[in-house]
């Protein structure tokens, strides 16, 4: 299993549109909450977005398959 921590790209190429709809936030809000740190602090990001960490992780797109 690939860890989301290692593969999420937070630049404009990552499509967070479905996650944004599911979480009722914007894609930019998701990017800002995840920040630039790798791996992202999902608990902190979830708090910033006003959602649970579980909801955030479930809503994020799956890691790309190489």
């Amino acid at each position: 299993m690939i860890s989301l921590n290692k593969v999420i790209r937070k630049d404009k190429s990552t499509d967070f549109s479905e996650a944004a709809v599911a979480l009722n936030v914007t894609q930019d809000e998701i990017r800002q909450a995840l920040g630039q740190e790798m791996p992202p602090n999902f608990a902190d990001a979830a708090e910033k977005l006003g959602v649970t960490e579980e909801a955030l992780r479930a809503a994020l797109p799956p890691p790309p398959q190489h």
Side-chain angles (χ1 to χ4, degrees), residues 16-39:
F16 289 126
S17 60
E18 290 182 23
V21 170
L23 300 172
N24 197 32
V25 298
T26 68
Q27 291 189 64
D28 284 337
E29 287 173 318
I30 293 172
R31 286 185 188 95
Q32 289 173 3
L34 291 173
Q36 297 301 313
E37 209 173 297
M38 288 306 277

Side-chain angles (χ1 to χ4, degrees), residues 5-66:
N5 291 348
K6 295 182 180 177
V7 296
I8 289 183
R9 293 184 56 198
K10 295 173 293 245
D11 59 24
K12 296 288 184 180
S13 68
T14 301
D15 183 5
F16 289 126
S17 60
E18 290 182 23
V21 170
L23 300 172
N24 197 32
V25 298
T26 68
Q27 291 189 64
D28 284 337
E29 287 173 318
I30 293 172
R31 286 185 188 95
Q32 289 173 3
L34 291 173
Q36 297 301 313
E37 209 173 297
M38 288 306 277
N41 182 330
F42 290 106
D44 187 48
E47 184 177 328
K48 289 176 184 175
L49 294 169
V51 300
T52 65
E53 182 176 350
E54 293 78 18
L56 175 60
R57 287 178 180 268
L60 290 173
Q65 300 297 314
H66 296 280

